[in-house]
Each structure stands twice: as structure tokens, then as C-alpha cells.
Amino acid sequence: MGGEPRAYKRRRSRGAERRAAGLSCHRTVTRLGRNIGIFVSTPGSCSNPQIRRQQGAAMPFGNTHNQLKMKFTSEQEYPDLTKHNNHMAKILTPEMYERLRSKQTPSGFTLDDVIQTGIDNPGHPFIMTVGCVAGDEETYEVFKELLDPVIEDRHGGYKPSDKHKTDLNPDNLKGGDDLDSDYVLSSRVRTGRSVRGFCLPPHCSRGERRAVETLSIEALASLSGDLNGKYYALKNMTDAEQQQLIDDHFLFDKPVSPLLLASGMGRDWPDARGIWHNDTKTFLVWVNEEDHLRVISMQKGGNMKEVFNRFCTGLTKIEGLFKDSGHEFMWNEHLGYVLTCPSNLGTGLRAGVHVKLPNMSKHAKFEDVLKRLKLQKRGTGGVDTAAVGGVFDISNADRLGFSEVELVQGVVDGVRLLVEMEKKLEKGQSIDDLIPEQK
Amino acid sequence: MASSFSRILSSKRQIGILSLVGGSVTAGYLLQHRDHVSAGMPVRRVYPSSAEYPDLRKHNNCMASNLTPAIYTKLSNKVTPNGYTLDQAIQTGVDNPGHPFIKTVGMVAGDEETYEVFAELLDPIIKERHNGYDPKVMKHPTDLDSSKIQSGNFDDRYVLSSRVRTGRSIRGLSLPPACTRAERREVERVAVDALAGLKDDLTGRYYSLTEMTDKEQQQLIDDHFLFDKPVSPLLTCAGMARDWPDARGIWHNNDKTFLIWINEEDHTRVISMEKGGNMKRVFDRFCRGLKEVERLIQEKGWEFMWNEKLGYILTCPSNLGTGLRAGVHVKLPLLGKDIRFSKILDNLRLQKRGTGGVDTAAVGGTFDISNLDRLGQSEVQLVQTVIDGVNYLIECEKRLEKGQDIKVPAPLKQK
């Protein structure tokens, strides 16, 4: 390409065009795809033909488009990241771009797909966003040259050789039922799960997204006892149902954040999105928002142990139900649970409380104490909101490299200490002897 | 339209079986051994098109009205030579159901071949949007000979400004929804190169969005030339805002009467304008400038996307043909309040907008009046229609000022 003179492009026949694009053979593949009879099989016979080679098939996402980019040099395609401040921009050198740009995951997710959100959102001078997303489980493998350093930067030096421990046994949590409810207004634990074998929200086709929804509905419908509940599909809900979910603070909206939209997570909204919650409104699952599943356990007051119990029990049950239907969650011993955003790898867990700390929050050492306890603060509206009336959302800062039990333990112990400090400050006493060591 | 397929869609068992077959357990086995996952071995869960067909039951746009499950099935196997697919083309229409009163188009082209490869969907959309124009049998006339224009110098007491705009695409490079960064940069390079060759009253300068100084930016805002990153979901869902502001920019001549936008919603948008009512001069400059730019790119071996069925090829099907909108800002305080106003405009093949552009309200009885049509009539014909129509509107306003009555004109015969 470049500045060379271009001959007048004579219009070719459709067939000639397709042959030129190397697509002559794809028809047989997709004709099979339309023959529903082929797809009736038993779980045990999940053999090769169904995980099908799809070189050059058009949809979904046959990745013929990435081949167009290969006609240009790497230098011509390399994004302008000079004004950017996110993890991706700091790590993606032109040389790395050149090495990775011809690669694709088995489902056709490419480097440009990974980084588009980071290009379109240069970032904030103070907040360091990640700037890349995964389109499927294999993204973390195929593009590890980029993602391993991103993960290392984001997760406190986590190395490619490190192993992540998963521990969802709530009995291992010590205490946690003793946080003072005069100060701790509510307790909540959330995480995400991805269904292995399906593309993630930035990349999934409508058919895949609907399949994830169907599997999730089936699994959740089998929950019973205090986990008995109901699913509300976003596109079918009545006005009354919608209002109730808003009042309960359960309803999630179409993403407006350009961080999410630029990666393609808002496509086809609200198709195959929905909310499930149990009758007692203490266990909630979001389907197909930023991840396949977001799982939330919560209740008023300070009994984090009960919240975590329900969290682990519910998650374990859901995982079991998925396994019964022949599916499992994306997980490996290096990255733990695999989710769309690299910042949520490992446990994907955020355990937090809404806690009244009007005195503590005004103390000069507040930020420092939080740092030592490996906790972070947010406003009660969630990330990027301000605290109202001295009430803060306090949660674990880490996600990867620590188990679920370890992280929740850290929150429980840390919040207990913060409340102790708050009480001392109320009485006009000093808290210097309570300042903890750096964890 | 979706009835037979909604039955299939709602059959959970069917989809459940399909998902079993995806073999996630097998995939899981492969994935536990990191070495087995190799790049470049395409593996993909495949669903029948019935499971992929979008839910368009709450939609009101031209795409949704015309995309039957049968057409979807047929076209989902196809791809343009550049790799653009049906799902990509319709994504904006799926994501933006539309408005009960305003019918948007609901799809875009990623390249010139989109209009051919997906003709089965685009032809009915074009027919619906462009008053029955049938690309299969009709030909679109192109005429940029501004000497044919009759009158065209409006009464300055009524017409505050005159403006003609269109778009042009560079053949051989993908359109904004689909272009790669390198292609977009190439469009910029080709266009800026050509514009640097313009002379006399067309001599001008290019301002790249990535490099402009604060001072230049402020000047462009004051001149009302600067365009912003698109916020309309109609555009962002189609992928037109990717990599902003890379390879975007504004060129204008020193007189500030000829302006080119580069890589906004189209490869180029070309605008000729000036204060007052001399539409003839505006159109003169428009044609001259366009022809000169075309000559300059042809010298380097490039050309505009054009064919005799669809005229000039642009990103949005609503802009095919001439892509031309010729308009004036005109004071019609009395006529604007007359109940016959809308009908008069309809019959004259004109549309009104507020002075802020599409979807704004008229302020102080000043309206933006322009041609309704784009495809099926030539540039000269459309500009003449605007000239004749605006002259008629001004006559009506003058008559109303004198307390005389006005008449609704007979509808213009459409070709």
C-alpha cells in the first residue's frame, strides 16, 4: 500500500471476490452448522467435529478482518499511545505489537480486540486502568507476552510462574460474626464466574450469550431452601418488576462507561441479560453483564461470616449444577478464576462493608492504615463515588495471589480494627498504639 | 416476521443440546495443559442462524423492518473481500432500537462491497429510505455542472446563510465502521495531500485533531468548524469512534468558505458555505472544489467510490446518491407558525430543522431548510429544488407580512 498508484479496481464477481479472499471452502462448514440433526448428541460424545475448524467462515467472528490488517506494516497499524496512561499503554511496545498482531485465539480474538478499549480510553492521570480485556479463556495464553506484565503490574508483582490458591471453605474463616452492627451497616461479597468453552462478553455471539443465559437459568432454577429464587430477564421484565429491582438496588443498567462499551460488552443489549435473586434477597446473580456471571451475597449488619457462608455454599452449589450439565467454570492454577477484565483474576472477589467512620476518616493516618491493611475505600455508591455522612465502603484491595478465605479474613480483621479505632477516637483517645504493621 | 424463529429461540432444549455439544469439558481438558492451546487453530462454537438471529421485536428501524430470518440465514455465510460481516453491518441497528417517530436506517457499510454482498438486505432498505428507488433497475444521475442553476441568489433580509454539504469515500479503503488504523491514516494522507494542491480562493490548511494547539482548537470552535468525538450511540455502536482522535482532522480554506472533515462519519465530508443568500456561488464553489479534489487524487492513482446504480458510496445508506444536503438558515416567523407550513415543505420536497442541526428546535422563527432527497436526482436538480422551494417560502412569508393569503403548492413530481 502506501503511496503507490492504484489501478482502477474492476468490480469482480462475488465468487471471484470470495476466492480471492480465500473463502472458497467455508460453505461446507456452515452448511453443517445449519443442520440441526448433527447437533443431537450425548454429553459423552463431545468429540472433534463440534469443536470445528472454521478457517475463513464468516460468522460469528471468523476473523477474516484481521487478515486485512496484515497487508499493512506493523508500524502503520501501531496505535498512538503517547497521551495514554493505562497498563496496556505502558507495556505494549511497537516491537511487541509486531510480534503479537498476527496471532488470534482459537475463536478468532485478536490483539487489536484485546487492546481496543485501552486505545479508546487513554485513562486518567491519577487512576490507572487496565486497558485490555479477554475475549475468551485462551486470550490469557495467546497474548501472555502482553498480559503477564499487565497482570504483574496490576496485581502487586504476581509472576507468570506463581500459583494461585482457591479456598471456598467458609469454615476456615475465623470470626466475622462479631462486627459491631452499630457501625457496620451492611456486608457484601461478590465475585464473577465464566463458563468454560464460551466466549466472554467482549466477543461472544448472540447465540453464545443466549446459551450462557439458558445454562445459568437452568442451574439457578435448581437451587432450593434459602437459595430458592427467581430469574428476571432484562428484556421481559414488567414495569412493576423493574421498579422493585431498582428499589432493592439490584437492577443493573446498560453499561454507559466507555471502558466497557469500547470493548463491545454492550452489544445486543438487553438480549440474554438478566438478574436472578433468592426470595430473601440475600443472594443475587447477574447474567451477561460484564462477565458471564456475577455472584453477590449480602445482608444488612455486620455478620460477614454468614454472608461468606452463603456465598461459598451458593457458589459451590452453582458450580456443581453446571458440572451436572457438562460444563465447568474457567479456572487454572496460575490465574485462578478467569474473568473478562485482568483486574478480576484469581478470586475475582471483593468483600466489603458499609461502615460508619466519621472520626477515623478524618484522621491523618486513615489512608496509611488502609494501605497497611490492604484495604481500599469507596463511596457508598460504589467505585468512583464519594462517601456520604462518613459512611464508607471498605473492601479488599487484592484479587489474585490470595485465597478467598484469606481476603475475607483480611476484611474482617481490618474492619474490626477500624471500628475499634473509631470508638477510641469518639472517646477522644489516641489510636497510635493500634496502628498495624504493613501486611 | 420473527414468529417461526421465535419458537425455535424459545426452545431451551434445543439450545441446551447445542451447548452440550460445544464440548466445554473437552475444551477444559485441552486448556489445563497450557501447551496445547496454540494460536492460529480456529476453533469455534457454531450455532444455527436461528440461534444467532437478533431479537428485533421492539425495534423500529429500516434494518429491522427488512431483515427476515431467511435473509439473515442467507447472508450470514457471506463476507466482503475485506472481511466485513452482516453482524457487523447491522450491529448499530440491533443496539439502537429506534424511536417510535423517527425511523433510522439501522445499518452501515464497512466498505464499498457491502452494498453488493449484502444487497438482498440493502436494496429493500434503500427502496424504503429513498422513496422507492430500486437499485436493481434504476440509474442515479450525477451532475456537478453548477452553471445550470437558475437564480439562486436569495433575499438577504430573509436568508442568513447558505450551505451545501456532501461526502466522498476513497475507493479501495474501508469505511469508518470497519477501517483499520493504517487505512484511516491512509485516507487522511491521500486527502490532505490532494487538498494541499488547491489554489486561489480554495487555498487552505489542515488541522489534525491529534496535533492542533489549544489556540487553533479555540479558533475552530469559534468558527463552528470543529467536530467532536461522536457521542451518538448510532455512530459509536457502529464502531466509527474507534481510535479517536487518530487520523481525524479538519481542513478549511483561508476564506473559511470551503471546509473538509476527515474521517468523521465518512472518509471525507465536504462543505461549502457563506453568510447571506448567494446559494449559486456556494454551489459553484462546491462543484469546483469537489472536481478539483477529484482531479488531484486521480493524479496519484486514487478515485472516489461511485457507481451508476448508487451514485457516491458513503457509510450510511441514507447518504447514497448525491449525499447532498443543500440548505439555508432562513427567517420565516409568520410562515413557521402557519399550520400549512409542514404540508408546504412536504410538497416542495424540503425538510426543516432547527438552526443547531438535526434534532434541534428552531429559534426565533429561523429555520434550517434543506432538500429531503439524496438518491435518484442529481446535485443540480436537488439544489434547484431547494432554490425554487426557498424562493416560494420567502414569497409566502412576504404575503403573510402583507396580510395576504398563501397557497399550498402542488406536490413536485418525483422522478
Side-chain angles (χ1 to χ4, degrees):
Chain A
M1 290 269 324
E4 272 140 276
R6 292 183 50 85
Y8 170 69
K9 202 164 155 184
R10 193 169 55 79
R11 184 164 302 288
R12 293 181 284 193
S13 73
R14 218 174 277 170
E17 281 174 344
R18 288 233 307 280
R19 276 191 290 282
L23 299 175
S24 46
C25 297
H26 80 278
R27 275 199 153 258
T28 43
V29 172
T30 46
R31 198 174 290 136
L32 279 173
R34 273 185 279 134
N35 186 342
I36 292 170
I38 294 273
F39 286 86
V40 179
S41 75
T42 57
S45 69
C46 301
S47 52
N48 289 335
Q50 284 72 31
I51 304 179
R52 177 175 287 115
R53 271 156 216 270
Q54 216 178 295
Q55 197 98 46
M59 273 162 38
F61 306 99
N63 195 34
T64 40
H65 191 63
N66 201 50
Q67 289 156 23
L68 171 66
K69 288 179 200 157
M70 299 310 295
K71 292 192 210 158
F72 298 91
T73 68
S74 177
E75 200 186 326
Q76 287 171 313
E77 287 287 354
Y78 183 72
D80 180 354
L81 300 172
T82 47
K83 297 198 176 92
H84 287 60
N85 183 47
N86 56 51
H87 287 294
M88 178 279 292
K90 296 244 170 302
I91 287 165
L92 184 70
T93 61
E95 295 76 30
M96 188 186 286
Y97 185 80
E98 179 153 24
R99 284 192 294 273
L100 294 179
R101 73 185 191 119
S102 57
K103 293 188 193 286
Q104 53 169 317
T105 69
S107 75
F109 203 62
T110 65
L111 177 66
D112 275 334
D113 294 329
V114 173
I115 64 177
Q116 191 67 53
T117 179
I119 299 172
D120 290 346
N121 297 289
H124 196 274
F126 306 140
I127 301 169
M128 189 81 155
T129 45
V130 176
C132 41
V133 291
D136 53 22
E137 190 166 7
E138 296 82 347
T139 302
Y140 289 101
E141 180 60 36
V142 172
F143 298 109
K144 64 182 170 182
E145 192 181 339
L146 168 66
L147 289 169
D148 280 352
V150 167
I151 289 167
E152 194 164 340
D153 272 0
R154 179 64 176 214
H155 293 281
Y158 193 78
K159 303 238 169 319
S161 53
D162 286 343
K163 301 246 185 292
H164 171 82
K165 202 174 87 169
T166 294
D167 182 359
L168 282 163
N169 184 351
D171 296 335
N172 290 339
L173 181 70
K174 301 196 218 347
D177 51 353
D178 54 348
L179 298 174
D180 191 335
S181 288
D182 286 340
Y183 293 83
V184 179
L185 305 176
S186 62
S187 310
R188 180 185 188 267
V189 181
R190 70 87 160 149
T191 188
R193 291 289 185 264
S194 310
V195 184
R196 177 161 277 162
F198 292 84
C199 292
L200 297 170
H203 190 47
C204 63
S205 70
R206 277 182 294 273
E208 282 186 293
R209 200 186 295 113
R210 290 163 178 170
V212 168
E213 185 193 30
T214 303
L215 286 174
S216 305
I217 293 173
E218 278 169 3
L220 294 165
S222 303
L223 294 174
S224 59
D226 72 321
L227 293 178
N228 195 60
K230 198 181 148 182
Y231 181 71
Y232 302 85
L234 246 58
K235 66 178 181 185
N236 292 339
M237 67 176 62
T238 66
D239 286 342
E241 287 169 341
Q242 186 174 307
Q243 195 52 50
Q244 185 60 56
L245 287 166
I246 291 172
D247 295 340
D248 291 327
H249 304 288
F250 284 174
L251 188 64
F252 60 87
D253 250 331
K254 177 169 184 175
V256 292
S257 162
L259 295 170
L260 300 183
L261 293 175
S263 68
M265 293 192 225
R267 287 171 305 129
D268 314 312
W269 202 274
D271 196 317
R273 273 83 168 188
I275 292 163
W276 177 98
H277 69 77
N278 66 350
D279 299 331
T280 46
K281 299 187 183 180
T282 53
F283 195 67
L284 166 69
V285 178
W286 289 351
V287 179
N288 285 321
E289 192 236 11
E290 186 184 333
D291 280 295
H292 285 170
L293 300 168
R294 282 287 178 97
V295 179
I296 302 148
S297 169
M298 61 199 177
Q299 65 194 54
K300 293 243 180 281
N303 195 338
M304 182 61 93
K305 191 164 182 48
E306 200 170 83
V307 170
F308 189 56
N309 265 8
R310 189 186 312 113
F311 178 81
C312 296
T313 312
L315 262 180
T316 310
K317 283 214 172 94
I318 293 173
E319 184 160 16
L321 290 161
F322 269 88
K323 286 218 170 97
D324 288 345
S325 68
H327 294 84
E328 43 181 27
F329 292 144
M330 292 183 194
W331 179 94
N332 64 60
E333 58 176 7
H334 166 55
L335 295 177
Y337 287 102
V338 176
L339 295 175
T340 304
C341 181
S343 69
N344 278 323
L345 290 166
T347 59
L349 184 138
R350 191 170 95 83
V353 298
H354 283 186
V355 58
K356 284 198 276 207
L357 300 171
N359 294 295
M360 187 59 206
S361 58
K362 294 201 203 88
H363 194 281
K365 294 231 175 68
F366 185 41
E367 302 278 352
D368 186 43
V369 169
L370 288 176
K371 193 152 167 285
R372 287 162 185 256
L373 294 172
K374 295 177 148 251
L375 298 175
Q376 66 173 197
K377 74 180 197 303
R378 299 179 181 190
T380 49
V383 65
D384 294 335
T385 63
V388 173
V391 180
F392 285 82
D393 177 316
I394 303 289
S395 64
N396 52 296
D398 301 308
R399 305 269 183 274
L400 174 65
F402 306 91
S403 76
E404 288 81 354
V405 167
E406 283 169 352
L407 292 176
V408 177
Q409 191 71 63
V411 173
V412 161
D413 296 343
V415 169
R416 191 187 300 114
L417 181 61
L418 287 168
V419 170
E420 231 185 289
M421 290 175 161
E422 177 69 21
K423 288 176 175 171
K424 281 212 145 174
L425 290 172
E426 272 175 21
K427 298 196 203 112
Q429 293 167 358
S430 152
I431 54 164
D432 289 343
D433 56 334
L434 289 176
I435 305 283
E437 296 290 315
Q438 176 69 56
K439 278 175 73 174
Chain B
M1 159 191 79
S3 55
S4 59
F5 277 83
S6 57
R7 262 187 290 120
I8 297 177
L9 276 176
S10 62
S11 163
K12 294 176 190 173
R13 188 177 60 90
Q14 190 112 321
I15 296 173
I17 288 171
L18 287 166
S19 59
L20 279 178
V21 156
S24 78
V25 177
T26 312
Y29 169 76
L30 286 174
L31 288 159
Q32 270 153 34
H33 306 261
R34 288 181 101 185
D35 302 332
H36 282 231
V37 176
S38 57
M41 181 184 79
V43 158
R44 183 72 202 206
R45 194 171 279 279
V46 174
Y47 292 95
S49 61
S50 57
E52 295 287 357
Y53 183 74
D55 184 348
L56 301 171
R57 288 171 293 181
K58 295 198 178 100
H59 287 58
N60 182 44
N61 55 51
C62 296
M63 180 278 292
S65 303
N66 290 286
L67 183 69
T68 63
I71 292 181
Y72 183 78
T73 302
K74 193 163 173 197
L75 296 181
S76 53
N77 286 337
K78 298 187 193 294
V79 67
T80 69
N82 293 325
Y84 198 63
T85 67
L86 178 68
D87 268 345
Q88 286 173 293
I90 65 173
Q91 191 67 57
T92 180
V94 174
D95 290 346
N96 296 291
H99 196 275
F101 306 142
I102 301 169
K103 198 160 188 188
T104 44
V105 175
M107 76 180 279
V108 292
D111 51 25
E112 188 168 7
E113 293 84 352
T114 300
Y115 288 101
E116 171 113 342
V117 174
F118 302 116
E120 208 158 328
L121 173 61
L122 276 159
D123 284 354
I125 288 178
I126 289 167
K127 207 164 174 180
E128 183 180 336
R129 180 62 178 217
H130 293 281
N131 301 307
Y133 185 88
D134 186 351
K136 288 197 278 287
V137 301
M138 293 175 173
K139 294 215 196 312
H140 169 82
T142 292
D143 186 356
L144 285 162
D145 181 359
S146 57
S147 67
K148 293 182 184 155
I149 294 293
Q150 311 264 343
S151 97
N153 205 338
F154 301 119
D155 190 334
D156 273 0
R157 288 172 299 166
Y158 294 86
V159 174
L160 305 175
S161 61
S162 309
R163 181 183 187 266
V164 182
R165 70 88 159 150
T166 188
R168 290 289 185 265
S169 310
I170 313 273
R171 175 161 279 160
L173 295 166
S174 302
L175 296 169
C179 63
T180 72
R181 275 183 298 277
E183 286 186 297
R184 199 186 294 114
R185 290 163 179 170
E186 186 70 355
V187 168
E188 185 188 34
R189 194 194 61 78
V190 170
V192 171
D193 205 45
L195 293 166
L198 291 175
K199 298 186 171 43
D200 304 322
D201 69 319
L202 294 179
T203 308
R205 219 203 108 165
Y206 180 65
Y207 302 85
S208 140
L209 247 59
T210 48
E211 286 164 12
M212 68 173 64
T213 65
D214 285 344
K215 200 150 156 278
E216 288 167 343
Q217 186 174 308
Q218 194 51 51
Q219 185 60 56
L220 288 165
I221 290 173
D222 295 340
D223 290 329
H224 304 288
F225 285 173
L226 189 64
F227 60 88
D228 252 329
K229 176 171 181 174
V231 292
S232 162
L234 297 171
L235 300 182
T236 53
C237 290
M240 294 192 224
R242 288 171 302 128
D243 314 311
W244 201 274
D246 195 317
R248 272 84 167 190
I250 292 163
W251 180 99
H252 69 78
N253 66 349
N254 297 335
D255 296 340
K256 298 188 183 177
T257 53
F258 194 61
L259 165 69
I260 317 268
W261 287 353
I262 298 197
N263 284 319
E264 193 238 9
E265 184 182 336
D266 277 295
H267 281 175
T268 64
R269 281 287 178 95
V270 179
I271 302 151
S272 169
M273 62 201 179
E274 59 185 64
K275 292 243 180 283
N278 199 338
M279 178 62 93
K280 185 160 172 52
R281 189 164 63 199
V282 169
F283 188 54
D284 262 341
R285 190 186 315 116
F286 177 82
C287 295
R288 225 178 352 109
L290 269 177
K291 286 191 208 142
E292 187 58 11
V293 172
E294 182 158 21
R295 189 188 67 77
L296 287 162
I297 66 167
Q298 277 169 345
E299 266 179 5
K300 300 278 174 66
W302 299 91
E303 49 180 18
F304 291 141
M305 291 185 195
W306 178 93
N307 68 54
E308 58 177 8
K309 293 188 308 173
L310 297 176
Y312 288 102
I313 303 292
L314 295 175
T315 304
C316 182
S318 69
N319 280 323
L320 289 167
T322 58
L324 184 136
R325 193 171 94 83
V328 297
H329 283 188
V330 56
K331 286 198 276 209
L332 301 169
L334 297 174
L335 181 57
K337 292 200 207 95
D338 195 299
I339 50 166
R340 293 165 287 187
F341 188 36
S342 286
K343 186 82 178 118
I344 294 174
L345 289 174
D346 265 351
N347 287 2
L348 292 173
R349 301 300 301 163
L350 297 175
Q351 67 171 189
K352 74 179 193 306
R353 301 180 180 190
T355 50
V358 66
D359 296 332
T360 63
V363 173
T366 303
F367 291 87
D368 176 317
I369 303 289
S370 64
N371 51 297
L372 261 175
D373 304 310
R374 304 268 184 274
L375 172 66
Q377 293 193 62
S378 74
E379 288 82 354
V380 165
Q381 286 169 322
L382 290 176
V383 173
Q384 193 65 59
T385 300
V386 172
I387 289 170
D388 297 342
V390 170
N391 278 334
Y392 190 88
L393 295 173
I394 293 174
E395 275 313 302
C396 288
E397 183 71 16
K398 285 177 173 166
R399 289 176 73 86
L400 289 171
E401 281 171 12
K402 295 196 205 112
Q404 293 167 349
D405 197 18
I406 57 171
K407 271 209 318 231
V408 175
L412 281 185
K413 247 188 283 202
Q414 284 168 249
K415 299 195 64 184

